Amino acid sequence: AEWVAVGHPGGLMRDGFALFAAAPITWLSFQNPNPEAILAVATTPWFARIRRLTIGFARDIAPSGYLVADYLAEGARSGGLRELALSNCDLGDDAALSLAKSAFARTLEKIDLSENRIGEYGALKLVAALDPNRLRWLDLTGNPILSETRRELQKRFPGKV
């Protein structure tokens, strides 16, 4: 198994060492997690093995998106993360700025931040932190970003936005 879908992070925290010892897990997927659970998971020693992280919320749940981004950026000190999907997490400019300042921003190759509230400021700060030679795909659909900024992003990352 390389992928684990986490229904309740408490079980992962309790059994994570055994699970990671038994399988080459590189992808974690969370649905509707408590933001504090993201910090707890991201600070574990085995989180350094994670290359792909997916966090999503149901439409009727209004998470504190900035907390998800802040806790992830604060906890995930490893540069191993390559793919990040934070779709429909209620992320705004402050969350994009937290991700831009994270230790893993320059290692990301694929990013899905669709269906959030990221505006001009957050989008520009985030893309300034990304490595254009490493990035292969960036999804910002469903965010309130002007066409002019989208064109600027497409110019910086041709064929990737």
Side-chain angles (χ1 to χ4, degrees), residues 95-156:
L97 188 57
S98 288
L99 294 174
K101 292 178 179 179
S102 71
F104 57 81
R106 294 204 51 86
T107 67
L108 292 172
E109 298 171 359
K110 188 174 181 182
I111 309 165
D112 178 358
L113 298 175
S114 61
E115 305 304 324
N116 283 293
R117 298 179 297 104
I118 299 170
E120 308 295 309
Y121 179 78
L124 292 172
K125 288 294 184 182
L126 180 63
V127 299
L130 301 174
D131 181 349
N133 297 317
R134 185 178 286 263
L135 188 72
R136 296 176 309 163
W137 186 72
L138 174 62
D139 187 351
L140 291 169
T141 57
N143 286 282
I145 300 170
L146 298 174
S147 297
E148 180 181 311
T149 302
R150 289 187 189 276
R151 283 191 295 276
E152 190 174 322
L153 299 179
Q154 290 167 342
K155 186 187 295 184
R156 178 169 164 79

Side-chain angles (χ1 to χ4, degrees), residues 26-110:
T26 58
W27 177 15
L28 287 178
S29 180
F30 293 93
Q31 186 65 30
N32 304 320
N34 179 320
E36 288 78 13
I38 300 302
L39 177 61
V41 169
T43 57
T44 62
W46 41 260
F47 190 79
R49 290 178 40 189
I50 300 303
R51 300 293 173 260
R52 186 175 185 186
L53 179 65
T54 304
I55 301 172
F57 290 90
R59 286 242 177 248
D60 59 337
I61 295 176
S64 299
Y66 71 94
L67 284 178
V68 171
D70 282 352
Y71 289 163
L72 179 60
E74 179 183 328
R77 306 207 186 283
S78 165
L81 198 59
R82 300 290 181 262
E83 297 183 23
L84 179 63
L86 298 174
S87 181
N88 195 41
C89 289
D90 197 35
L91 303 178
D93 286 343
D94 51 352
L97 188 57
S98 288
L99 294 174
K101 292 178 179 179
S102 71
F104 57 81
R106 294 204 51 86
T107 67
L108 292 172
E109 298 171 359
K110 188 174 181 182

